[in-house]
Each structure stands twice: as structure tokens, then as C-alpha cells.
Amino acid sequence: MAANEGGPEGSVKPQLDEGTGEIASKNELQKRIQKRAKEGGCRGSREARSTNYSLQVITRFSPELNGYLQLGHAKAIAINFGFARYHKGKTDRIPFDDTNTTKEEGVYFVAIEEAIRWLEKLIELRKSYVCHCQEAELKRQHGGEKGKEGPRYRCEHADQDVATNLRKFRDMRDGKYVPREAFLRMKQDITNGNPEMWDLAAYRIPQKPTPHYRTGTQWKIYPTYDFAHCLCDSFENITHNLCITEFVLSQESYEWLNHTLGIYEPIQREYGRLNIAGAIMRKRIIADLVEANAVRGWNDPRVPPGAILAFINELGVTTSQTIIKTARFEQAVRRYLETSVPRLMLVLDPVPVVIEDWEELEKEVDAPVSAKDPAIGSYKLPITKTISIDRSDFRTTEDKAFFRLTPGNTAFNSLSCQSHIILSRPYLGAPSMQWVSEGSQVVEVRVQRQLFNSNNPKVAEGGFLNDINPDNETVYPSALVEAAFQQLRGMAPLPDSPSEREVPGPESVRFQGHTSWAIDSDSTDDLTVLNRIVSLKEDSTKV
């Protein structure tokens, strides 16, 4: 998603505390305003913290470049763009935090020359030092396992003079050390109870050096996340670093570095990560799923952007760590699609049916594009002597509990089954029984179900790969969609979306049948592939 001042349509609207520059809920903001009124002023104002503060809100969206964006990133996009947009600010910088060239491709990082200038200043302030300790020793310095096995302490390298640290750091820069032989540490507060203040690494030599997409092999050292992202925010005049609660401990370190260097200090504030039951929201785990061929690949753009934003807006912005039920997400998608995409009939597993009194019927009728909005228009639906229905809608033996087609039964008071291939008068408005005429288009349809058996596959016995549902997908290679599909295909994007209008991919063609569908990017000129977006809402009382 490209950065812009407007951001995504329908984005979230958290409140800005103009006295402190912080985000807050509407109720919390009201309480703060009332408290200040009683105290006769604003304490701890944002302006007092930084003379460089701009009244224009500027946020950023900064993913790691170790995989494609996933649903969790949609919340970050909505919050950052929505917060800035609501307060007439902008999100016009997208710095990429992690600069590990071993894992990241095409990484953007703070300009090397400028970063080194600030690093040397940090060394001159005696607030950083070059360390040669290995992992086992570092763990002992931090008090052992979980910091509870002994007192914390600094190594002897922390006492090196400024000249020694500058020389060693320049040797790191010039490639005179091998990976893990030396790294630059920030000299923070080893007695602090926050692990993010225990002399974190600022610059290191990548363990498996990989050519950088901009500088090739010229530079031997790269900044860590803990060093780069707060400096980058300061250089770019970001006012609010809005991030997930996993970084709440990092806030102290984030503020320490900018304050120590005496530069502009942005604000970091956190919100709860988006978690959905039975789904994986970690790019590194998704990468493992792709590598294991457990899924077809990274690309799964079935759900419209507007539906995702509608769902996130419904959730709101809190710091709570909650797991959202899959049904809640799917219901938000259904509500969005209900009034925004056209309706067509689709038969997954076709069974031919002969209409006995076809000669007496009209041969063509007007069918509405949308059942909810007749103003959208209609299309011509042909009625042929032989139609196709879904195999699941038909049984050869009588069954009073089966409310579709069986011998002796009438479906919707309109279709009566005299034998297994004879019908009379098809009912055009049947809401759940799909049928298509002769000449309908053959398509491949993929019906996806929940990928994992459990709601939390990360803790499943044997690991998440052992928790995969073997029946998570069914493919129907010879499904039929009515011929009007080609007409509606030219109307894409469906639903209309400014972001998809600019570059309409195949997945922007969506419609509703007995459930909702989208074209898959695997489609070719000879074969269209459809994916189910969400299933029908299940009736818990139905047997």
C-alpha cells in the first residue's frame, strides 16, 4: 500500500490528546480534559518534551521485509493512516525497521553516513561501547535464564575509553572483524528492571553477510531495530510511533536513545495485536507454511479491502490482547459484500435436469444484479430446456427432512421432482438452490475451510504443521457459472474501491451466489479459477 495523506477509506478514528500528543479513547480524553480544567493547566505537555514538535500529526507504517503483508498489518495500516487522517495529518514515510540483510530484501535504513555520525556522538558521550562478549557471557551478564539466576553486571569492555571504542567501531566498519567478534552496545541502565535497557546492541556485523540492495557489499555493519527505528522516526519528524503492545517494554529504550543524543523525540504508543482464532498472523510462520507446501503461496486476496477495514473499525483500538472468533470476522465480510457485489448463480457439482414443460415457459427473464439494490440494474437470464443443479440439492430417494429435490417432494413450492431428471417450472428466486442454463461457463472452484484443527495452532501438540486440517480445501474442476459472469466481469472492481480501481487485479472480480466468490490469480485465458471468500452463516439449530 502506498503512503499518502488520505489513507484508506473508512479508516479508524482514535482521539488525539493535543495537550500531550498521545492517543486516547474518547472517554479517557474527556477525563483528562476535565482533570486539567480543575488543575488549571496541562502538565507534561508534548511541546515541553521537544522544541521541534510539529502540530501536524505524522505517523508511519513500517513492516519488516521478510514476507508479504497479512491481515494483522491491515490493523496497523488502518490505525496509522486513520489516526493521521482524522487529525488532518499524514502518513508519508514508510521506514523499514529491521536492517538484517540476511533476512530482509530491499531494506530501507537510516543513511549509513548519518547513522555513523550519531553513533560516534553516542560513543563520545560514553553512552556506547564496542563489546566482544559471546552469547553465553551475555546471558550471564543479564542474570542468566530470564534474568533470575544471578545479579546483572557489565563486562570489562564497558570501561574502555572513548578513543578505544572509536577505533574499534571504525575497525568494525572497515571489515576488520568477523561476524559476532565485535558489536556496538548502547550503555543504558543495567540495573533497570526493564530488559530493553540492558545495554542493547546498536550496530553489528551480520552473521551471514548478504549484499544490500543499495550498497552491495560496501558496508560491513548494519543497525539493529532498537537503534534504527527511533532515530529514523526522529529524522523523519514522526510525531507518533504507533505499534503493537509487544513493544511496550521498548518504549523506554526508544525514548532513552533520542533523549541521550539530544534530538527530536517522537512519542511511542501501543495497541493490541489483531489475533483471529484458528489463523496464523506471523509472517515467519506463514513463510514456513508456504515452504512446506501446506498452502498455495503468500497471495490470498479474496477479502475486499473495504471489508477488512469495516471489520477493524468494528473492533476499535485498545491495548487488550484478545483472540477474535473466526465467525465474527466472516460475518463482517458477509455484511460488507451483501450490498456491494452482484449476484450470480454458481453450481459446484452439476447434475443435468430436463424441464418437462419448457415450451410453455418464457425463454428469457430479467434477473436483478443486486437483490438489495434494484437501481443497479438487471441482466438477461436465459431459460433452456436442460438446466444444471448442484448434486447436493438432489436425492433419488424420498426424504421428508430434505427440503430440496427428492421424488414426491416439492422444492420452494415451485419445483416438483417426477423422476431424477424431470422438473417443472424452475423458480427463479430460490435463495439457496442454485441452477444454471445450458451455455454456462465452466470454471474451477476452490472451497477453502479453516486451515488448522485448533484455535491456537502455535501451541498445538507436534507444532502448527501437525495441526493442519487435511480437508481444508475442496476443488471442483467442472463447476458452472451463468454466462452473465463475463458481463459482470467487465464491471470490476466489485465492490468499487479506489485502491483496486487503480490496479484492478483478477481478485477484484467478486460476486455472490449461494455464498461469495472471487477470481483467483491462477486463472488463465482458458480457465477461470474461483475462490470462496466466506461460507454461508451456519444455522446452529439445523440438523
Side-chain angles (χ1 to χ4, degrees), residues 238-254:
I238 301 299
T239 61
H240 294 78
N241 166 32
L242 308 179
C243 55
I244 56 177
T245 51
E246 290 177 20
F247 294 100
V248 66
L249 293 179
S250 299
Q251 180 180 339
E252 189 173 4
S253 172
Y254 179 98

Side-chain angles (χ1 to χ4, degrees), residues 70-71 140 184 188 212 254 271 297 310 332 361 418 491 493 496 507 535:
Q70 36 85 2
L71 189 58
R140 286 192 291 273
L184 187 75
Q188 298 166 291
H212 192 276
Y254 179 98
Y271 55 86
L361 301 175
Q418 309 302 326
M491 297 168 58
D496 189 22
E507 67 281 351
S535 63

Side-chain angles (χ1 to χ4, degrees), residues 124-171:
E124 290 167 356
L125 290 171
R126 298 181 181 274
K127 290 295 184 179
S128 63
Y129 58 96
V130 175
C131 181
H132 302 280
C133 295
Q134 298 301 303
E135 187 174 348
E137 172 59 23
L138 292 174
K139 189 172 290 186
R140 286 192 291 273
Q141 293 170 23
H142 294 164
E145 192 68 30
K146 297 183 179 180
K148 297 180 179 180
E149 296 179 2
R152 294 189 295 276
Y153 60 91
R154 281 198 174 101
C155 65
E156 58 184 12
H157 308 114
D159 297 326
Q160 293 168 162
D161 58 47
V162 171
T164 300
N165 281 315
L166 283 173
R167 175 178 54 78
K168 288 185 175 183
F169 179 65
R170 288 163 183 162
D171 286 345

Side-chain angles (χ1 to χ4, degrees), residues 496-509:
D496 189 22
S497 164
S499 58
E500 291 192 305
R501 201 185 305 143
E502 294 178 7
V503 186
E507 67 281 351
S508 67
V509 181

Side-chain angles (χ1 to χ4, degrees), residues 183-186 188 199-204 224-227:
F183 66 101
L184 187 75
R185 298 176 73 175
M186 294 179 278
Q188 298 166 291
D199 289 16
L200 300 180
Y203 252 72
R204 79 290 199 216
T224 62
Y225 169 88
D226 298 290
F227 177 83

Side-chain angles (χ1 to χ4, degrees), residues 296-461:
R296 293 180 182 275
W298 283 92
N299 191 26
D300 184 13
R302 290 173 293 171
V303 180
I308 295 175
L309 287 171
F311 168 65
I312 293 170
N313 286 336
E314 178 185 301
L315 297 177
V317 182
T318 70
T319 57
S320 301
Q321 290 291 336
T322 55
I323 297 179
I324 307 300
K325 292 183 178 179
T326 307
R328 184 176 178 183
F329 172 62
E330 292 184 341
Q331 186 59 16
V333 176
R334 289 188 198 98
R335 282 197 299 268
Y336 181 82
L337 293 172
E338 184 71 21
T339 57
S340 60
V341 297
R343 288 181 177 270
L344 291 175
M345 287 191 284
L346 172 71
V347 173
L348 298 177
D349 190 4
V351 174
V353 174
V354 176
I355 303 176
E356 189 177 55
D357 53 355
W358 175 76
E359 288 78 8
E360 302 174 19
L361 301 175
E362 295 182 46
K363 304 303 182 288
E364 186 178 73
V365 295
D366 282 330
V369 172
S370 170
K372 299 290 184 178
D373 187 2
I376 293 179
S378 62
Y379 63 94
K380 297 299 182 182
L381 175 62
I383 302 176
T384 55
K385 185 172 181 62
T386 299
I387 63 173
S388 293
I389 65 171
D390 201 281
R391 192 175 302 276
S392 63
D393 287 332
F394 172 70
R395 291 183 184 173
T396 57
T397 56
E398 187 173 351
D399 185 348
K400 295 299 183 182
F402 184 71
F403 295 100
R404 294 181 187 174
L405 290 180
T406 63
N409 191 18
T410 299
F412 309 111
N413 298 318
S414 304
L415 304 178
S416 60
C417 184
Q418 309 302 326
S419 73
H420 68 285
I421 61 167
I422 299 176
L423 291 175
S424 62
R425 297 197 178 278
Y427 175 55
L428 303 179
S432 61
M433 186 167 175
Q434 302 283 296
W435 63 272
V436 294
S437 302
E438 284 185 299
S440 295
Q441 181 176 341
V442 177
V443 293
E444 178 181 305
V445 173
R446 298 168 181 171
V447 176
Q448 288 90 8
R449 301 175 188 84
Q450 187 158 312
L451 181 61
F452 298 98
N453 290 315
S454 68
N455 283 334
N456 192 356
K458 289 182 291 185
V459 298
E461 185 177 353

